[in-house]
Amino acid sequence: MALNVPGLIVMVGFYLLILGTGIWASMRSRKEEKKCTGDGMEITLLAGRNINLLVGIFTLTATWVGGGFILGIAEATYNPTLGAVWALMPVPYVLTFFLGGFFFAKPMRENKYLTMMDPFQQKYGNVLSTALIFPALVADVLWVARTLVSLGGTMSVILDLSYVYSIITSSVVAIIYTLLGGLYSVAYTDVIQLILIFISLWVCVPFLMTNPHSLDISLTAYNQTLQTSPWVGTVELDQAGKFFDDFMLLALGGLAYQAFYQRILSASSYTQAQVTCFASSAFCLVLGIPSVLIGAVAASTDWNSTSYGLPTPYERDQAGSILPIALQFLTPPYISVIGIGAVAAAVMSSMDSALLSSASMFSSNVYKNIFRKQASDREMQWVIRISVVVVGLAGTALTFLDSSVLVFWLVGVDMSYTIMFPQLVCILFFKVSNGYGASVGYLMGIILRVMSGEPLIGLPPAIKFPGCRLDGEGRLTQFFPFRTTIMVMSLASILIVSWLASVIFNKGLLPESWDVFKIKRTQTTASAADHKRTISEKEDASVARQLLDTTSL
């Protein structure tokens, strides 16, 4: 197969469009910086907390609808050991956004945090919060890797372009426009990218559904035909625990990503933040449908009648690239090029978010708050840029270790769910939580998760939960909802140990000099702040009543 020159020209045009939009947005951010009363970091990381509602909806949706989302859903639907019922991403994301809008957005916005890690740093101090930042940063690096893997595989199949060149080119473009304008560049390019994703995928679907090599997907949905299992798939009773675990992983794991709070905190009001979440949940559902249909068509295809031939993509261990393979061999060339545009747009929209997310946590919570508290805005701008480049290079390097989108997807979200989510719940909603409980919960989450094993990366389980057995691909797998169990155990340990530590030091059972995390002093300060806030609220209410009475008279 020769290099697809027309397709390559289209991709160059797409990259120029995205780069041009990023440059325009960076110029806009400089104008806004002159108007805004906030500092330079607030402009770069949160767009001055004044992002447009429609742009906010687009950028939040585009962040979640990445290359991993599009290719992962198609891969799960096509895989005969899984099926569409295991292509969970769109439905749990609805729960993610609703929980985020109803519960998590309010405390984050009320305290005017800059990043997700600010409450940890304010309450637990620099040492523990730095340790907690580590899994969040790793999750973002894995996010970058999985988005690049999806694009590299797609371009190598459709354009016959080197996997290495595809990944490096996309990485460089995303890094450049993220460097130029921060969240403004990311948000406005997301608008272009989401429109391209929507149009491109839905243009490809009719051609795939009507190709002569595939059976009607309604016939293969529940009947065994060309592949070993129907593409809808099933959830057997002995798989229910794993299904529930995967669902909760995707639904709650997303609430522990800095990229989510970056969008919430950039909104001009709490109401706008809620509307952004609710609207994005609907978009995620709609944008997941084309990938399910593409996976279903691939599962209903007689590959021997195509130029791809036998063995099938699944037998060649190419299920992770089933979307580009289906576009390449089941649609006309000009349609496959349009399809790659959708994947490229999805990859860029997620990668830039991960880059800025990790850069914001490192620059704000590590560099400025720990090493250089007096750092100027200009210095911090350079720290953010360097952080973006380092994360981009780290994520790019990881793409050469594994070619499965689902591997990076699940491992990254796994860390957020089992380690960061219980920590975030406790710091935001339980005043009793303190550094002692957080330390125990952190260590417990990491140790239990490592000992539970992970078949996707070849890590055997040291702890075998009930139902642990070989899966359909011969890998030893935990079918018990072990991730959710670890998350609940971590959360419970944080609260119990925090309460015990509070009792011990407040009752004087141990000398105050042993109180490393200064919880007694922290609780006193918090109580004083709550008392002051209550008095202020009462005064505001009194003034409002007086004004109302005056108006009535």
Side-chain angles (χ1 to χ4, degrees):
M1 179 178 172
L3 179 66
N4 187 340
V5 177
L8 186 61
I9 294 173
V10 170
M11 288 306 301
V12 170
F14 164 75
Y15 281 138
L16 290 176
L17 172 64
I18 295 301
L19 197 57
T21 304
I23 293 171
W24 171 81
S26 69
M27 295 170 64
R28 177 184 171 88
S29 72
R30 292 190 183 96
K31 293 179 181 178
E32 292 294 329
E33 190 170 356
K34 296 176 182 178
K35 302 177 186 177
C36 186
T37 56
D39 59 21
M41 283 191 68
E42 199 168 76
I43 294 290
T44 302
L45 302 181
L46 299 179
R49 299 185 193 269
N50 192 34
I51 203 161
N52 178 275
L53 173 60
L54 189 60
V55 174
I57 293 170
F58 272 78
T59 187
L60 180 58
T61 306
T63 299
W64 258 246
V65 181
F69 179 93
I70 291 175
L71 270 73
I73 291 174
E75 178 182 351
T77 304
Y78 167 72
N79 193 321
T81 65
L82 298 174
V85 294
W86 292 91
L88 293 168
M89 292 80 159
V91 180
Y93 288 171
V94 174
L95 183 59
T96 300
F97 291 137
F98 270 81
L99 288 175
F102 277 120
F103 300 106
F104 288 81
K106 188 174 183 180
M108 295 295 284
R109 289 190 57 82
E110 281 182 346
N111 292 283
K112 296 186 180 298
Y113 293 132
L114 191 64
T115 75
M116 176 184 77
M117 301 307 299
D118 283 355
F120 295 99
Q121 201 151 33
Q122 291 178 13
K123 190 170 185 178
Y124 298 160
N126 290 333
V127 176
L128 181 55
S129 62
T130 302
L132 291 170
I133 286 173
F134 179 73
L137 290 176
V138 171
D140 278 339
V141 172
L142 290 174
W143 192 351
V144 171
R146 73 172 180 251
T147 55
L148 287 174
V149 163
S150 60
L151 183 59
T154 302
M155 293 180 74
S156 61
V157 169
I158 295 179
L159 301 182
D160 197 31
L161 188 64
S162 166
Y163 182 83
V164 176
Y165 291 155
S166 304
I167 286 177
I168 291 177
T169 303
S170 305
S171 179
V172 168
V173 172
I175 288 172
I176 288 174
Y177 74 72
T178 305
L179 288 175
L180 290 173
L183 187 59
Y184 269 111
S185 289
V186 170
Y188 281 95
T189 52
D190 280 348
V191 173
I192 303 296
Q193 289 156 354
L194 196 64
I195 293 172
L196 286 172
I197 293 168
F198 182 83
I199 294 175
S200 300
L201 285 177
W202 282 108
V203 165
C204 294
V205 166
F207 290 90
L208 282 161
M209 299 281 285
T210 56
N211 87 85
H213 306 289
S214 304
L215 299 176
D216 187 335
I217 62 172
S218 64
L219 299 176
T220 58
Y222 299 99
N223 301 304
Q224 183 174 327
T225 51
L226 295 173
Q227 71 173 21
T228 55
S229 303
W231 63 263
V232 169
T234 58
V235 180
E236 303 295 339
L237 185 60
D238 60 356
Q239 297 176 316
K242 188 176 187 304
F243 182 86
F244 173 77
D245 205 30
D246 288 350
F247 185 94
M248 297 303 292
L249 168 76
L250 293 170
L252 302 182
L255 290 169
Y257 271 105
Q258 161 64 11
F260 174 76
Y261 296 100
Q262 204 154 26
R263 273 75 189 158
I264 297 304
L265 293 171
S266 67
S268 59
S269 67
Y270 173 54
T271 302
Q272 181 178 324
Q274 283 191 310
V275 172
T276 299
C277 288
F278 303 152
S280 297
S281 66
F283 277 114
C284 281
L285 281 175
V286 173
L287 289 165
I289 295 172
S291 291
V292 172
L293 295 176
I294 293 171
V297 169
S300 308
T301 297
D302 178 9
W303 290 101
N304 193 36
S305 67
T306 69
S307 56
Y308 183 87
L310 293 177
T312 65
Y314 176 74
E315 292 167 339
R316 297 187 195 185
D317 198 26
Q318 292 184 333
S321 300
I322 193 60
L323 188 144
I325 289 173
L327 291 174
Q328 174 67 17
F329 294 97
L330 303 179
T331 64
Y334 61 92
I335 294 298
S336 64
V337 170
I338 293 175
I340 196 179
V343 178
V347 166
M348 307 290 272
S349 67
S350 283
M351 182 179 172
D352 53 22
S353 300
L355 290 173
L356 193 61
S357 168
S358 52
S360 64
M361 287 188 289
F362 176 80
S363 58
S364 176
N365 298 110
V366 178
Y367 187 85
K368 186 175 179 63
N369 290 351
I370 298 177
F371 298 115
R372 287 276 295 169
K373 294 183 179 180
Q374 304 303 319
S376 65
D377 278 351
R378 181 177 178 81
E379 181 180 344
M380 290 310 302
Q381 294 296 323
W382 278 106
V383 172
I384 293 171
R385 293 185 182 113
I386 294 171
S387 302
V388 166
V389 173
V390 171
V391 173
L393 293 176
T396 303
L398 283 176
T399 58
F400 304 109
L401 299 180
D402 199 290
S403 62
S404 174
V405 177
L406 284 175
V407 169
F408 289 115
W409 182 294
L410 291 174
V411 173
V413 180
D414 199 322
M415 294 184 67
S416 296
Y417 181 48
T418 55
I419 299 172
M420 287 306 302
F421 177 72
Q423 297 283 352
L424 194 63
V425 169
C426 290
I427 195 75
L428 292 179
F429 303 108
F430 294 93
K431 292 181 180 180
V432 71
S433 65
N434 55 50
Y436 299 102
S439 300
V440 172
Y442 180 70
L443 292 173
M444 179 177 287
I446 292 176
I447 293 170
L448 288 177
R449 184 62 194 91
V450 171
M451 294 183 70
S452 299
E454 179 51 65
L456 291 175
I457 59 174
L459 181 66
I463 301 175
K464 295 182 180 179
F465 289 87
C468 183
R469 62 183 186 276
L470 296 177
D471 63 8
E473 297 180 350
R475 299 176 300 190
L476 191 59
T477 304
Q478 306 274 15
F479 282 84
F480 186 81
F482 73 103
R483 298 187 190 93
T484 302
T485 301
I486 293 171
M487 184 273 291
V488 172
M489 290 176 66
S490 178
L491 191 148
S493 66
I494 294 170
L495 297 178
I496 293 171
V497 175
S498 293
W499 177 76
L500 287 173
S502 180
V503 169
I504 288 171
F505 287 110
N506 287 329
K507 297 287 186 181
L509 300 178
L510 286 177
E512 192 173 339
S513 59
W514 289 19
D515 186 4
V516 178
F517 289 105
K518 311 296 180 186
I519 60 173
K520 192 172 183 179
R521 187 186 307 168
T522 303
Q523 288 171 349
T524 303
T525 304
S527 299
D530 290 341
H531 180 65
K532 186 183 293 184
R533 190 182 300 113
T534 302
I535 293 175
S536 177
E537 289 173 353
K538 288 181 178 178
E539 289 176 351
D540 290 343
S542 176
V543 171
R545 282 196 297 271
Q546 290 176 7
L547 288 172
L548 186 62
D549 293 340
T550 304
T551 305
S552 300
L553 291 173

